[in-house]
Amino acid sequence: MTTERGTAGVDEAGPVRVMVVDDHPMWRDAVARDLGEAGFDVVATAGDGQQAVRRARAVRPDVLVLDLNLPGKPGAEVCRELVGPDSGLRVLVLSASGEHADVLEAVKAGATGYLVKSAGPEELLDAVRRTALGDPVFTPGLAGLVLGEYRRLAADPAPAAEDGPEVPKLTARETEVLRLVAKGLSYKQIAERLVISHRTVQNHVQNTLGKLQLHNRVELVRYAIERGLDD
């Protein structure tokens, strides 16, 4: 499959490093094989939650393809432990469940995207590639659910701490990118609209997360909507 990265899993920095976590060996091996054949560098696999956390910290993949229903430690908890503003890891949940509660729990835990296992091989490869770029990827019909949850959270904001630190000022470009993130645009769409690269958008988002001391896209979008930046 040819994309703007060249082959599916390769860019100028080399192959995207992927780790696959699923408790079904045949499914796990099949996904890992498909990704490897498409040009991704499958650096590890794991069959339970504790093993996933330990191996991911050791091999530091770019993308974690993660099932939610894992023995030992649920997938959402794995995501919470591994995803942070300094980790650089992005998580694509690949689950048999399309239940709204599971989707929202995964996103709140820090997942970048959510794909159900009925997706075809090409759809999975494209989802992993886009996740590596930082684009939110969802099975059709789930993206609107997630944006709706962002708005619901923003309608009931957490109380501000008394005498808390002054909110850091964002640059004009960071604010512009944040406004488009709050509208639900993907990083690719933001890059095209602002005529900048994917990586530049990604850097602006990471800088904004760091300045605001936020941990993931959910918190970032909530912050933006609370301040009316999605208007």
Side-chain angles (χ1 to χ4, degrees):
M1 179 173 59
T2 302
T3 71
E4 62 187 328
R5 280 179 172 262
T7 56
V10 182
D11 66 7
E12 66 277 3
V16 174
R17 294 164 53 83
V18 183
M19 178 174 167
V20 180
V21 182
D22 197 289
D23 63 331
H24 292 89
M26 289 182 64
W27 177 268
R28 182 175 66 241
D29 292 347
V31 170
R33 183 182 64 249
D34 287 349
L35 291 170
E37 290 176 352
F40 295 95
D41 182 9
V42 181
V43 294
T45 63
D48 63 61
Q50 294 172 336
Q51 186 181 66
V53 171
R54 186 171 63 251
R55 290 187 179 175
R57 286 176 173 163
V59 302
R60 301 176 66 85
D62 301 313
V63 176
L64 189 69
V65 178
L66 177 69
D67 188 17
L68 290 181
N69 188 19
L70 297 172
K73 189 188 296 285
E77 183 60 31
V78 171
C79 194
R80 268 188 288 270
E81 290 191 25
L82 292 175
V83 175
D86 301 320
S87 72
L89 174 67
R90 295 190 172 89
V91 175
L92 173 66
V93 170
L94 183 61
S95 174
S97 171
E99 293 293 324
H100 290 183
D102 291 334
V103 178
L104 295 177
E105 181 182 19
V107 173
K108 289 175 184 177
T112 299
Y114 194 107
L115 208 62
V116 296
K117 287 184 174 179
S118 58
E122 291 298 317
E123 190 176 357
L124 172 61
L125 297 179
D126 184 60
V128 174
R129 177 184 62 80
R130 290 172 56 198
T131 298
L133 293 171
D135 281 349
V137 183
F138 294 95
T139 292
L142 297 182
L145 166 75
V146 174
L147 188 56
E149 179 67 5
Y150 289 156
R151 296 182 186 281
R152 188 194 68 77
L153 288 171
D156 185 24
E162 294 183 8
D163 301 322
E166 183 179 350
V167 176
K169 293 191 179 299
L170 302 179
T171 67
R173 180 62 96 184
E174 287 168 348
T175 301
E176 192 172 18
V177 169
L178 180 56
R179 185 185 302 277
L180 296 176
V181 168
K183 289 177 179 292
L185 273 67
S186 70
Y187 288 179
K188 179 180 179 181
Q189 291 169 323
I190 294 172
E192 290 173 350
R193 181 169 297 194
L194 300 182
V195 197
I196 56 179
S197 70
H198 263 105
R199 197 169 300 278
T200 300
V201 174
Q202 190 175 324
N203 289 340
H204 284 313
V205 171
Q206 290 303 314
N207 290 341
T208 302
L209 285 170
K211 284 184 178 181
L212 300 178
Q213 297 185 1
L214 302 176
H215 299 92
N216 54 48
R217 191 183 179 98
V218 173
E219 295 181 1
L220 187 63
V221 175
R222 175 177 176 173
Y223 173 91
I225 293 174
E226 285 174 356
R227 285 152 183 79
L229 294 178
D230 61 321
D231 292 340

